[in-house]
């Protein structure tokens, strides 16, 4: 596709939506996951304009792709870059960590606004003792390398976790970590508290619903109007599962003495298409869920347990990625198709009745954690653009954003087109 046509088509489509709904200034905290397991994606230069059009100010990249980092120079967009699980054993060596930073990050600083490195992805739920034992030393080594290079004040070091690290998640006040992971987590949390990095969780209400559609109300996971539930210990009301998941994590952190550590949602989304057994993976559900997530972020309200804390959420994902293995849903989490057109009717809507921006928690015991017992996880990816399968048995994961019927915009779009 011609670059100018890509930019005009994509930006015109989104800018009209933002202009009409008046939300352009309210989506400052939106983050987006930029995955690249595909052979048909637009160039990073074109992606810059697309991300600006949707109002995202933060990007999570699963590697340190030089083409991407160069393309986003002088945009002001914050970047979180990843060091894959396959690097953990090497990164224990501070010299190697420093060489990696000097080679992969430093050439793009300060033009590209790199603010964080996540070392490893959902390592603790792989049940791989080698990976687990290497995680904290690698994080410490990368941080030391940043200190040596004078970059530690602008770049933090963290790691991402699956929600399956929780032993209990319902009600939110009873959130606790798995006993077998608690000692390892305590050491990681001590490091993060000292260095000031956030605790990252990949949270996917979609998976809880898919596994228990008869027990979990769809409206509850989609932020639609519903009765919700009241936590009997705190009397806090939850009317959406995502907030309940976040507060369960806060409770688990508090049980280890780290209740003040900020929790960021590094992935969350909903697939627009799935296999026959992937209940709920539809365009309409993706539209509602992701639209309401964005509306919730824009409202700048916290969770019931942390009403004054900012919501830091990275939507999964920017594009449908045609080379991802696994079920159909894996290739259909994107907000956009590779040609820059929306995967479904994207938009920010104030008039939609689908929003509910207060709280969340699953009405069924441990519904958000029931992926901890199925088979072995996939091997860590080896390509520079690789990341873990969303439907991996080791994680309760990811979900997208946006939503609105755009039929009333068609006349304007036709005018601009012709």
């Amino acid at each position: 596709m011609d670059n100018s046509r890509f930019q005009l088509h994509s930006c015109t489509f989104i800018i009209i939506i933002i202009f009409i709904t008046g939300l352009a200034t309210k989506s400052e905290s939106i983050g987006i996951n930029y995955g690249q397991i595909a052979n048909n994606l637009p160039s990073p230069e074109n992606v810059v304009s697309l991300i600006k059009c949707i109002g995202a100010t933060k990007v999570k990249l699963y590697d340190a792709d030089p083409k991407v980092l160069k393309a986003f120079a002088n945009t002001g967009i914050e970047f979180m870059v990843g060091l894959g699980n396959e690097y953990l054993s090497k990164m224990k060596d501070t010299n190697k960590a420093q060489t990696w930073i000097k080679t992969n990050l430093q050439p793009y600083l300060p033009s590209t606004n790199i603010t964080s490195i996540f070392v490893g992805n959902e390592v603790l739920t792989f049940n791989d003792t080698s990976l687990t034992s290497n995680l904290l030393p690698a994080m410490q080594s990368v941080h030391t390398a940043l200190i040596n290079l004078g970059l530690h004040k602008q770049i933090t070091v963290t790691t991402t976790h699956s929600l399956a690290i929780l032993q209990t998640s319902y009600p939110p006040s009873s959130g606790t970590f798995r006993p077998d992971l608690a000692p390892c987590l305590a050491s990681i949390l001590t490091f993060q508290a000292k260095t000031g990095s956030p605790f990252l969780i990949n949270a996917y209400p979609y998976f809880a619903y898919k596994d228990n559609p008869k027990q979990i109300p769809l409206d509850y996971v989609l932020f639609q109007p519903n009765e919700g539930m009241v936590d009997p210990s705190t009397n806090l009301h939850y009317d959406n599962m995502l907030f309940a998941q976040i507060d369960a994590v806060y409770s688990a952190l508090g049980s280890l003495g780290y209740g003040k550590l900020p929790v960021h949602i590094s992935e969350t989304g909903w697939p627009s298409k799935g296999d026959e057994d992937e209940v709920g993976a539809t365009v309409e559900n993706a539209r509602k869920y992701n639209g309401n997530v964005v509306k919730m972020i824009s409202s700048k309200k916290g969770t019931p347990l942390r009403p004054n804390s900012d919501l830091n959420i990275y939507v999964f994902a920017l594009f449908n990625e045609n080379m991802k293995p696994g079920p159909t849903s894996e290739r259909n989490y994107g907000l956009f198709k590779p040609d820059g057109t929306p995967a479904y009717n994207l938009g920010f809507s104030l008039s939609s009745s689908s929003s509910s921006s207060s709280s969340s928690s699953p009405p069924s015991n441990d519904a958000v954690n029931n992926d901890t017992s199925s088979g072995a996880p996939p091997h860590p990816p080896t390509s520079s653009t690789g990341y873990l399968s969303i439907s991996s048995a080791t994680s309760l994961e990811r979900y997208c954003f946006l939503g609105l019927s755009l039929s009333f915009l068609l006349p304007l779009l036709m005018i601009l087109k012709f």
Side-chain angles (χ1 to χ4, degrees), residues 333-405:
Y333 274 83
L335 304 182
F336 294 95
K337 299 175 183 178
D339 65 358
T341 59
Y344 42 86
N345 287 343
L346 287 176
F348 301 94
S349 171
L350 287 176
S351 60
S352 170
S353 63
S354 63
S355 172
S356 136
S357 58
S358 62
S359 36
S360 92
S361 163
S364 63
N365 281 2
D366 297 327
V368 297
N369 299 326
N370 52 22
D371 61 347
T372 59
S373 59
S374 36
H379 294 293
T382 55
S383 72
S384 62
T385 57
Y387 52 89
L388 301 185
S389 164
I390 295 173
S391 57
S392 163
T394 62
S395 54
L396 277 166
E397 322 186 324
R398 335 195 191 234
Y399 71 154
C400 323
F401 87 125
L402 309 174
L404 164 69
S405 174

Side-chain angles (χ1 to χ4, degrees), residues 136-159:
L136 179 58
M139 294 173 69
Q140 293 170 325
S141 178
V142 171
H143 179 67
T144 299
L146 289 169
I147 292 175
N148 294 342
L149 296 171
L151 299 173
H152 62 291
K153 291 185 179 180
Q154 68 183 84
I155 302 176
T156 61
V157 177
T158 184
T159 187

Side-chain angles (χ1 to χ4, degrees), residues 113-372:
N113 188 18
I114 302 170
T115 60
S116 181
I117 302 171
F118 67 97
V119 179
N121 192 18
E122 302 186 349
V123 169
L124 299 187
T125 44
F126 264 62
N127 299 318
D128 184 318
T129 55
S130 176
L131 284 178
T132 298
S133 63
N134 288 333
L135 178 57
L136 179 58
M139 294 173 69
Q140 293 170 325
S141 178
V142 171
H143 179 67
T144 299
L146 289 169
I147 292 175
N148 294 342
L149 296 171
L151 299 173
H152 62 291
K153 291 185 179 180
Q154 68 183 84
I155 302 176
T156 61
V157 177
T158 184
T159 187
T160 67
H161 300 285
S162 160
L163 205 63
I165 62 174
L166 295 181
Q167 175 73 15
T168 305
S169 62
Y170 179 83
S173 60
S174 68
T176 54
F177 293 116
R178 282 170 40 185
D180 60 314
L181 299 180
C184 180
L185 274 169
S187 299
I188 292 173
L189 293 172
T190 298
F191 164 81
Q192 292 194 252
K194 289 180 178 179
T195 59
S197 64
F199 190 75
L200 303 185
I201 279 285
N202 298 335
Y204 287 84
Y206 163 69
F207 279 92
Y209 175 74
K210 180 181 74 72
D211 293 337
N212 296 279
K214 294 182 179 180
Q215 298 179 29
I216 299 177
L218 183 59
D219 287 342
Y220 182 69
V221 293
L222 294 180
F223 303 89
Q224 299 289 91
N226 68 96
E227 293 182 2
M229 57 81 65
V230 174
D231 188 313
S233 297
T234 62
N235 288 324
L236 294 174
H237 180 259
Y238 291 85
D239 59 14
N240 71 80
M241 180 176 283
L242 180 61
F243 276 10
Q245 292 177 337
I246 295 173
D247 280 356
V249 173
Y250 272 121
S251 295
L253 288 171
S255 70
L256 294 182
Y258 295 93
K260 294 183 179 180
L261 200 67
V263 173
H264 293 184
I265 304 303
S266 43
E267 292 181 16
T268 192
W270 196 285
S272 59
K273 185 178 181 181
D275 295 322
E276 289 185 7
D277 62 343
E278 295 188 286
V279 180
T282 68
V283 166
E284 183 64 12
N285 288 344
R287 184 185 70 82
K288 288 179 179 178
Y289 183 84
N290 295 322
N292 287 327
V293 166
V294 170
K295 191 184 300 183
M296 178 185 67
I297 295 172
S298 300
S299 72
K300 300 186 181 299
K301 293 181 180 179
T303 67
L305 189 61
R306 294 286 191 276
N308 298 319
S309 296
D310 292 336
L311 290 174
N312 287 276
I313 296 177
Y314 289 79
V315 173
F316 189 91
L318 187 60
F319 293 110
N320 285 337
E321 298 167 70
N322 68 343
M323 295 181 68
K324 293 192 68 178
T328 298
S329 62
E330 291 283 347
R331 295 172 289 283
N332 289 278
Y333 274 83
L335 304 182
F336 294 95
K337 299 175 183 178
D339 65 358
T341 59
Y344 42 86
N345 287 343
L346 287 176
F348 301 94
S349 171
L350 287 176
S351 60
S352 170
S353 63
S354 63
S355 172
S356 136
S357 58
S358 62
S359 36
S360 92
S361 163
S364 63
N365 281 2
D366 297 327
V368 297
N369 299 326
N370 52 22
D371 61 347
T372 59

Side-chain angles (χ1 to χ4, degrees), residues 6-7 10-11 32 34 42-57 59 67-77 79 112 318-319:
F6 177 96
Q7 292 173 348
S10 302
C11 276
I32 189 76
Y34 180 6
S43 69
E45 289 75 18
N46 284 332
V47 173
V48 172
S49 61
L50 194 62
I51 286 178
K52 286 184 175 180
C53 286
I54 63 175
T57 60
V59 172
K67 294 180 180 179
V68 174
L69 296 179
K70 182 179 179 180
F72 278 82
N74 303 311
T75 62
I77 293 173
F79 262 82
T112 303
L318 187 60
F319 293 110

